[in-house]
Amino acid sequence: MTADPVAAPAAGPPFEPTHVVPPGGLPSWAAPDPARPAARLDPLLPVRLTETRGDWARVVCANGWTTWLDGRLLVSLPHPPGGAALRAGEDPRPLLARLERALGDYRALVDEAAAGRLTVTEFRERAAGLRIGAVVDGTDAWLLDPVEQRWYYCDGTRLRGYAAAPPQDG
């Protein structure tokens, strides 16, 4: 993302993203007008949604840069469940261990592909069905259990079911 800012960063509370740009990145515009293109936003860039006009969404990036994009394509970030601190729930360590193993499996595939031991097709075939999901923000974590097809919220000590995961394509 390299463009002049549309608006200067505002003083105030620290940046808290509400969404991320989808994995393919997104084009953006200086205004909700297709005739005013701006920079392309990087894949998975955290942004804060501040305004919508139909399908247009005005977002602010962590550096204060403001732009407009197709809001239908943004990926919403989960937020912690409201209420008091979590007291009930499961121990998060078994799920964290499964996620760590899955990430290790993915890393091994990436290493093999980078070393030329796997073709792109072989990489895709061996990675098919592998799902890993973890967002950690300080003491808050959202962890995907691909076996249960469920997201869990973790406060660092306990897991609590948060949301069902969307079904996989394919």
Side-chain angles (χ1 to χ4, degrees):
M1 179 184 70
T2 55
D4 294 328
V6 174
F15 177 77
E16 292 187 30
T18 59
H19 295 77
V20 294
V21 172
L26 279 179
S28 72
W29 290 265
D33 174 358
R36 299 195 49 205
R40 184 166 183 81
L41 298 182
D42 294 332
L44 304 177
L45 177 74
V47 296
R48 182 170 41 89
L49 178 65
T50 60
E51 181 181 351
T52 58
R53 291 186 194 169
D55 293 336
W56 289 99
R58 182 174 179 257
V59 297
V60 177
C61 302
N63 66 359
W65 189 69
T66 302
T67 193
W68 289 86
L69 46 77
D70 184 342
R72 298 170 298 179
L73 302 175
L74 287 173
V75 178
S76 182
L77 288 175
H79 298 283
L86 300 178
R87 289 188 177 83
E90 299 175 46
D91 182 347
R93 292 173 294 180
L95 176 55
L96 288 168
R98 288 193 305 273
L99 292 173
E100 186 176 8
R101 282 190 301 275
L103 186 57
D105 292 345
Y106 184 77
R107 171 64 189 260
L109 288 173
V110 169
D111 287 345
E112 286 188 58
R117 293 188 301 269
L118 288 179
T119 66
V120 171
T121 301
E122 291 168 328
F123 177 80
R124 286 183 181 147
E125 287 171 357
R126 289 183 53 191
L130 180 62
R131 293 189 86 196
I132 304 166
V135 177
V136 178
D137 184 15
T139 60
D140 298 318
W142 298 267
L143 307 170
L144 175 65
D145 184 338
V147 173
E148 298 282 329
Q149 290 295 302
R150 184 170 186 81
W151 281 95
Y152 287 87
Y153 172 74
C154 179
D155 67 352
T157 61
R158 296 282 178 237
L159 288 177
R160 184 164 82 184
Y162 186 68
Q168 282 185 276
D169 294 336

